[in-house]
């Protein structure tokens, strides 16, 4: 790989403003792009590059495109351009990949200055990039995040944080040592319903906790409409499939493997236990003031598995429980009577927290918090909160260590389920599995060369 030219950030942004004249493009540029009418001048904006231009990546970057303090200057993906599917039918042609992302950025700014890259290392070599948004499949997060932190780039990384417990620990340590700003895409930390639920639990509004129930959706949904296309086929033009696999085991290409369906392959992710579990376990940790700790035991483990010969390898249906040292028990299932959310059950009442909903019973418990009560970190916009951290030094809502501890719960549950264990004991202080060498060995996984986390 030949690194991209290392132009300065200020020089690059000045070039963007005059690119139209130099290359024959229209030279009418919105005044906001030039810093007029009270807008932030390009030379004073935080420059950001998107790494991973799938559906989630492009959805999230739209939030940064609306932040007047940010200038998205580059996009990176191993796929040039593809289509978004919905139940087997093309929903939008040309919506995934680096070229659609580039068009999105250029249209937003009314310019033609957004660069494209296939190799994320080219992005990290650029001196004009302040921050990166990582929205790749999970098996790439650790390698990219560690390289970005060591390159001095601030990082917004999608959840689930890591593919393994060992990767998460390594990521958190490197980010701390590098002193870069980090935000995990656990946006429920910036949702008033979840924050209020955690504050009510912390302040004992529902009395002593009896148990917590977590509802997660079932796995193995056909997200890309190509789940039936499992036969090996030629790699589509414009897709660097070997680079997409990266550190994951070698495997023949088929359409069923990519575009969100990768979540149901254990080589790339951990199913919905890691996907939505990353959100809900994070809120449980927050409510219990366990952000830098975790449970000590997993039990009542049950799962069904895909039929023999299926490409998918995560459990489509599951249930398990985990317990903290003080006895607080959390029960998790893909089917709960309230759907996807978190139910805190106490001796005096209950709180159900879901996206867009906070249900407190009895209603008499719904009273404003007093000045003396515990109040939690208040972020009203998860994406602006990240930029606040870069520009003002403010702590972000979802630090990397919190994300590591939350996703560790999901990884341990997956390990116990895959090994068909009745129980699994965990030491959250030393981050070690107790008395189970086979489970302990699964805290890490080998990476396909030449990709290594060192």
């Amino acid at each position: 790989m030949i690194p991209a030219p290392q132009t300065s950030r200020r020089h690059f942004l000045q070039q963007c403003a005059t690119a139209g004249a130099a290359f024959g493009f229209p030279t009418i540029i919105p005044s906001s792009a030039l810093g007029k009418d009270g807008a932030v001048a390009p030379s004073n904006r935080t420059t950001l590059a998107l790494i991973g231009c799938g559906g989630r990546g492009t959805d999230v970057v739209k939030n940064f495109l609306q932040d007047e303090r940010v200038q998205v200057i580059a996009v990176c993906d191993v796929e040039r351009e593809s289509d978004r599917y919905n139940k087997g039918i093309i929903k939008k042609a040309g919506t995934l990949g680096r070229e659609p992302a580039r068009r999105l950025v250029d249209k937003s700014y009314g310019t033609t200055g957004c660069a494209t890259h296939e190799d994320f290392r080219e992005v990290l070599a650029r001196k004009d990039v302040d921050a990166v948004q990582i929205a790749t499949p999970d098996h790439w997060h650790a390698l990219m995040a560690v390289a970005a932190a060591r390159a001095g780039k601030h990082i917004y990384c999608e959840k689930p944080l890591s593919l393994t417990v060992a990767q998460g620990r390594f990521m958190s340590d490197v980010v701390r040592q590098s002193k870069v700003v980090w935000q995990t895409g656990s946006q429920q930390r910036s949702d008033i319903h979840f924050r209020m639920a955690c504050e009510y639990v912390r302040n004992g509004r529902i009395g002593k906790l009896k148990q917590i129930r977590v509802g997660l959706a079932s796995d193995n949904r056909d997200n890309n409409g190509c789940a039936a296309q499992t036969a090996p086929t030629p790699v589509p033009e414009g897709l660097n499939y070997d680079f997409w696999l990266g550190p994951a085991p070698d495997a023949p290409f088929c359409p069923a493997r990519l575009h969100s369906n990768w979540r149901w392959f254990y080589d790339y992710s951990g199913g919905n236990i890691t996907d939505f579990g990353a959100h809900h376990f994070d809120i449980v940790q927050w409510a219990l003031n366990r952000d830098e700790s975790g449970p000590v035991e997993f039990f009542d483990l049950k799962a069904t598995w895909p039929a023999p010969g299926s490409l998918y390898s995560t459990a489509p249906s599951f249930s398990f429980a985990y317990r903290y040292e003080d006895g607080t028990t959390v029960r998790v299932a893909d089917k709960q009577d309230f759907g996807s959310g978190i139910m805190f059950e106490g001796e005096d009442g209950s709180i159900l927290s879901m996206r867009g909903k906070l249900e407190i019973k009895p209603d008499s418990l719904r009273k404003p918090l007093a000045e003396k009560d515990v109040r939690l970190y208040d972020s009203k916009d998860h994406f602006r909160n990240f930029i606040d951290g870069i520009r003002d030094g403010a702590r972000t809502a979802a630090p990397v260590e919190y994300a590591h501890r939350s996703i560790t719960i999901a990884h341990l549950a997956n390990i116990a389920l895959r090994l068909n264990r009745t129980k699994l004991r965990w030491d959250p202080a030393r981050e070690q599995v107790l008395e189970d060498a086979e489970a302990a060995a699964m805290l890490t996984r080998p990476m396909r060369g030449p990709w290594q986390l060192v």
Side-chain angles (χ1 to χ4, degrees), residues 6 56 114 140 147 166 168 177 196 232 349 371 433:
Q6 297 185 353
R56 182 59 183 165
C114 183
W140 266 112
Q177 294 160 5
M196 285 182 63
E371 187 175 336
V433 172

Side-chain angles (χ1 to χ4, degrees), residues 344-411:
F344 298 95
E345 299 173 337
E347 292 180 344
D348 299 331
S350 65
I351 298 175
L352 173 60
S353 184
M354 308 171 72
R355 293 191 175 183
K357 180 179 181 180
L358 181 65
E359 184 179 276
I360 302 173
K361 294 183 178 179
D363 193 61
S364 59
L365 298 178
R366 188 187 288 268
K367 297 177 181 178
L369 294 172
E371 187 175 336
K372 64 179 177 60
D373 285 335
V374 174
R375 304 306 293 266
L376 299 178
Y377 188 99
D378 185 3
S379 162
K380 295 178 174 61
D381 187 307
H382 207 64
F383 312 99
R384 292 187 70 90
N385 179 254
F386 172 54
I387 304 302
D388 290 343
I390 295 173
R391 300 178 71 88
D392 306 327
R395 181 176 76 80
T396 59
V400 63
E401 180 68 19
Y402 295 6
H404 163 59
R405 293 293 186 157
S406 297
I407 202 60
T408 289
I409 296 170
H411 291 324

Side-chain angles (χ1 to χ4, degrees), residues 1 112 163 220 285 360 382:
M1 182 204 71
T112 55
L163 189 68
N220 299 12
Q285 292 272 100
I360 302 173
H382 207 64

Side-chain angles (χ1 to χ4, degrees), residues 148-335:
R150 286 174 172 164
K153 312 301 184 187
H154 305 298
I155 304 163
Y156 184 103
C157 183
E158 276 304 313
K159 42 55 62 186
L161 178 76
S162 61
L163 189 68
T164 69
V165 174
Q167 285 183 8
R169 168 46 52 213
F170 197 86
M171 293 166 74
S172 184
D173 290 347
V174 170
V175 168
R176 183 184 68 254
Q177 294 160 5
S178 302
K179 294 182 170 55
V180 296
V181 175
W182 176 284
Q183 181 82 298
T184 313
S186 300
Q187 68 269 21
Q188 290 182 175
R189 288 260 178 172
S190 296
D191 184 307
I192 188 173
H193 299 97
F194 291 101
R195 176 172 56 80
M196 285 182 63
C198 291
E199 287 179 336
Y200 272 45
V201 171
R202 288 268 197 112
N203 288 290
R205 286 297 179 89
I206 59 174
K208 183 179 179 180
L209 274 174
K210 295 191 297 183
Q211 73 171 0
I212 302 169
R213 288 192 291 146
V214 174
L216 304 178
S218 59
D219 272 2
N220 299 12
R221 301 178 302 276
D222 187 6
N223 290 325
N224 71 4
C226 299
Q229 299 179 41
T230 60
T233 60
V235 176
E237 183 183 356
L239 170 64
N240 188 335
Y241 178 61
D242 185 68
F243 208 157
W244 186 93
L245 287 171
D250 193 18
F253 172 81
C254 66
R257 197 175 289 274
L258 271 62
H259 298 157
S260 292
N261 280 2
W262 53 261
R263 294 191 182 282
W264 321 131
F265 292 80
Y266 195 62
D267 284 341
Y268 319 132
S269 188
N272 214 39
I273 292 176
T274 57
D275 182 29
F276 227 88
H279 285 301
H280 288 347
F281 303 153
D282 186 53
I283 297 303
V284 170
Q285 292 272 100
W286 199 16
L288 299 181
N289 195 21
R290 299 278 184 169
D291 283 330
E292 297 190 21
S293 182
V296 297
E297 185 179 34
F298 292 76
F299 58 99
D300 287 353
L301 297 133
K302 298 177 183 178
T304 59
W305 300 97
S310 171
L311 276 182
Y312 294 159
S313 52
T314 60
S317 183
F318 52 83
S319 63
F320 59 91
Y322 61 92
R323 182 184 293 121
Y324 289 87
E325 189 175 18
D326 65 359
T328 302
T329 297
V330 182
R331 293 194 171 274
V332 182
D334 65 296
K335 294 179 179 64

Side-chain angles (χ1 to χ4, degrees), residues 139 163-164 166-167 249 265-270 411 414 418 441-448 452:
H139 67 288
L163 189 68
T164 69
Q167 285 183 8
F265 292 80
Y266 195 62
D267 284 341
Y268 319 132
S269 188
H411 291 324
N414 263 332
R418 297 184 78 82
M442 293 177 69
L443 297 178
T444 187
R445 300 190 208 175
M447 289 185 171
R448 187 173 65 116
Q452 300 298 323

